[in-house]
Amino acid sequence: MTLYQLYVALLIGGLVLLASIAATRLATGVGLPSLLLFLGVGVLVGEVGLVFDNAQLAQDLGTAALAVILVEGGLTTRFSDIRKVLAPAGVLATVGVGVSTVVTATAVHWLLGMDWQLALLLGAVVSSTDAAAVFSVLRVVPLPRRLSGLLEAESGFNDAPAVILVMLFSVTPMDLNPLTVAGTLLYELAIGTVLGLGCGVLGAMTLRRIALPASGLYPLATFGLGMLAFAAAGSAHGSGFLAAYVAGVVLANSGLPHRSATRSFAEGAGWLAQIGVFVILGLLVSPDELLGEVVPAFVAGLVLLLLARPLSVFLSLIGFRVPWREQLFLSWAGLRGAVPIVLCTYPIVAGVQDSWRLLHIVFILVVLYTVVQGPSLRLVAEWLNLIPRDTTREIQVDAAPLDVLGAELLTMTVLPGSRLHNVTVLELRLPDPSVITLIIRAGRPFVPQPVTRLQAGDELLIVTTSVTRDLAERRLRAVSRRGKLAYWFDEYGDPA
């Protein structure tokens, strides 16, 4: 690639990125998951002359993007929201995926005449809800915390079983020995869970005990640990997707510093991954071949929407006290997005017969699901009386919000011989809006009062703004040199 071609590629990429961001704003306004417009941008770019048919590259990029999306989903998930629904979410993500796969495959085999391998692949591909679609829609549809947590946890967990089934069904000839399938599922899920927990716990312990030289390194380190969990689990032939999500959840709820910056970085990376993978998948399909698969996609979508998904929800939640209204909403809210389309690249790369047809069927099905379900979720939630009257969101308390305020945290120690000794907080007269928030004296922290007198050996934590930081430091130096009447002695704390 020449330098000119690189510039052209970057120009096209920048324009596509900006167009996708603009599409996101439009989609949010009408209640659609942004993926629909991202796919449209990809198809449009393909129609104006950019040819892309590399299924292997699409699979590699799509897999990496899904890992990023799942890490982002984990880092933006509060464990308090999903703690009480881990059991039903786990059953939905495993038993539910299995039921949905079998029901959908059986129906399309008999109704559409698909051979069993392609039918099972279609059932497995569309069996899991999409994390990106669920997270984006739930941001604008207020739901009870239990219900939204159940949807989030399910979408974070169920990609792993779906990927495992697709890979099993992509082998020709298929080996459907129940013991083989069950053993593979248990092994990959167990490895993914263990490595996800391990990377999350060890990473959190490490980040809490080291001081990185720049605050911007904490989001990079946190996100890197999630990707490390994904790669480690995949290298051990486990579920990298499950490991990525679990590691993200653990890291997000471990009280790490700079959580706001980490969440912002993760959301930005997640959006970039969504835009990239959807545009690439839009490029991969052939619009001319889509028209011939509208009827099969419509039939498969109806089976999934009206039979497979409701049945999988009902059977999975037997024994859990989930109200019928919430079960109905869960049945309707099984959003599909990037995951099914990315999974379609696996049988294409494996050389399964008619796998390109599978891609076009799933593409249409995802578009239909998005158009029908996305805008209707709020209406369905209101009809089922699931939207709470008080939709005030719980406050987010951050460990390091100073960057948001343009503020800085200063620390200093009152050294022996300093004139700061015996000066009260009020007499110190720090420039507004600077304030001493905490004093550590003889190892005991306390909040000072205006009449509190500083003592030699005290450690002070001072919050100030970037604008007044220099003035605060000058005042501290002035008083340390000449006492509380420093200004009378023309001492203004100039640097030595």
Side-chain angles (χ1 to χ4, degrees):
M1 177 182 289
T2 65
L3 187 60
Y4 174 76
Q5 290 173 325
L6 175 62
Y7 289 148
V8 172
L10 291 175
L11 176 63
I12 294 174
L15 291 174
V16 170
L17 177 63
L18 293 175
S20 301
I21 292 173
T24 301
R25 180 66 186 88
L26 176 63
T28 303
V30 298
L32 287 173
S34 307
L35 66 93
L36 182 61
L37 296 183
F38 296 161
L39 289 172
V41 170
V43 173
L44 180 62
V45 171
E47 285 297 288
V48 298
L50 183 58
V51 178
F52 180 81
D53 58 0
N54 191 332
Q56 179 66 67
L57 180 59
Q59 175 185 310
D60 295 340
L61 294 176
T63 301
L66 290 181
V68 171
I69 291 170
L70 285 169
V71 173
E72 184 258 338
L75 290 175
T76 55
T77 296
R78 290 184 300 179
F79 186 70
S80 59
D81 289 345
I82 67 172
R83 179 181 56 192
K84 295 181 179 179
V85 295
L86 284 177
V91 177
L92 274 172
T94 51
V95 175
V97 165
V99 171
S100 181
T101 299
V102 172
V103 172
T104 304
T106 303
V108 297
H109 172 73
W110 291 109
L111 294 175
L112 301 176
M114 282 189 183
D115 66 82
W116 274 112
Q117 184 175 20
L118 200 64
L120 286 169
L121 279 169
L122 177 59
V125 161
V126 300
S127 62
S128 68
T129 57
D130 184 77
V134 169
F135 295 148
S136 64
V137 170
L138 289 182
R139 290 188 183 107
V140 295
V141 180
L143 293 171
R145 292 177 61 183
R146 169 190 168 91
L147 182 57
S148 62
L150 183 54
L151 275 171
E152 289 185 16
E154 180 200 6
S155 65
F157 293 145
N158 65 9
D159 289 343
V163 171
I164 296 169
L165 290 177
V166 169
M167 295 180 69
L168 288 173
F169 297 152
S170 296
V171 177
T172 305
M174 290 189 301
D175 181 10
L176 296 182
N177 186 311
L179 292 178
T180 301
V181 175
T184 302
L185 279 169
L186 289 175
Y187 172 80
E188 295 202 19
L189 295 179
I191 292 296
T193 302
V194 170
L195 289 180
L197 288 172
C199 287
V201 172
L202 293 177
M205 291 172 59
T206 303
L207 289 178
R208 280 200 297 264
R209 285 168 171 77
I210 62 174
L212 297 178
S215 60
L217 294 176
Y218 284 92
L220 284 174
T222 304
F223 203 87
L225 286 166
M227 296 303 293
L228 177 65
F230 168 77
S235 300
H237 302 288
S239 174
F241 295 114
L242 182 59
Y245 182 73
V246 170
V249 172
V250 173
L251 290 166
N253 295 273
S254 299
L256 297 179
H258 301 287
R259 285 178 292 177
S260 287
T262 300
R263 286 173 62 93
S264 298
F265 178 84
E267 289 176 354
W271 277 112
L272 183 60
Q274 289 183 57
I275 292 172
V277 71
F278 290 135
V279 171
I280 288 174
L281 294 174
L283 283 168
L284 194 61
V285 301
S286 301
D288 296 337
E289 299 181 23
L290 291 175
L291 293 177
E293 306 298 344
V294 171
V295 173
F298 186 76
V299 172
L302 283 179
V303 169
L304 183 63
L305 182 65
L306 302 179
L307 182 61
R309 173 66 179 178
L311 189 60
S312 66
V313 170
F314 174 75
L315 293 178
S316 299
L317 297 181
I318 291 178
F320 298 103
R321 296 180 179 179
V322 180
W324 66 268
R325 292 181 300 160
E326 295 186 5
Q327 293 194 36
L328 285 178
F329 186 82
L330 287 169
S331 300
W332 185 258
L335 294 171
R336 269 66 183 177
V339 175
I341 306 177
V342 171
L343 293 184
C344 286
T345 62
Y346 286 78
I348 293 176
V349 173
V352 176
Q353 187 176 2
D354 289 334
S355 51
W356 280 99
R357 181 193 178 200
L358 179 68
L359 172 66
H360 293 106
I361 291 175
V362 171
F363 184 91
I364 297 172
L365 187 149
V366 167
V367 171
L368 290 175
Y369 252 70
T370 302
V371 171
V372 172
Q373 284 186 301
S376 67
L377 282 180
R378 188 181 185 97
L379 295 176
V380 173
E382 291 176 347
W383 177 64
L384 293 172
N385 198 28
L386 291 174
I387 296 182
R389 294 180 180 178
D390 182 10
T391 57
T392 302
R393 301 187 63 167
E394 186 174 341
I395 60 171
Q396 296 281 343
V397 179
D398 197 345
L402 302 181
D403 53 338
V404 179
L405 303 174
E408 297 188 32
L409 179 65
L410 309 180
T411 62
M412 65 158 291
T413 302
V414 180
L415 299 175
S418 169
R419 297 288 183 87
L420 285 168
H421 179 74
N422 211 36
V423 174
T424 67
V425 171
L426 182 62
E427 292 170 338
L428 190 57
R429 290 185 295 155
L430 291 175
D432 187 64
S434 304
V435 62
I436 299 176
T437 59
L438 197 69
I439 294 178
I440 302 175
R441 180 175 295 167
R444 185 179 67 86
F446 64 94
V447 177
Q449 302 299 317
V451 294
T452 300
R453 294 186 178 275
L454 304 181
Q455 295 182 11
D458 284 354
E459 295 181 49
L460 312 182
L461 271 65
I462 305 164
V463 175
T464 186
T465 65
S466 301
V467 176
T468 57
R469 171 179 175 172
D470 183 64
L471 293 176
E473 291 184 5
R474 285 173 174 269
R475 177 59 181 169
L476 289 168
R477 282 196 296 265
V479 177
S480 180
R481 294 169 183 171
R482 302 301 296 270
K484 58 188 176 183
L485 299 179
Y487 289 168
W488 285 86
F489 298 101
D490 294 324
E491 175 58 66
Y492 296 96
D494 294 329

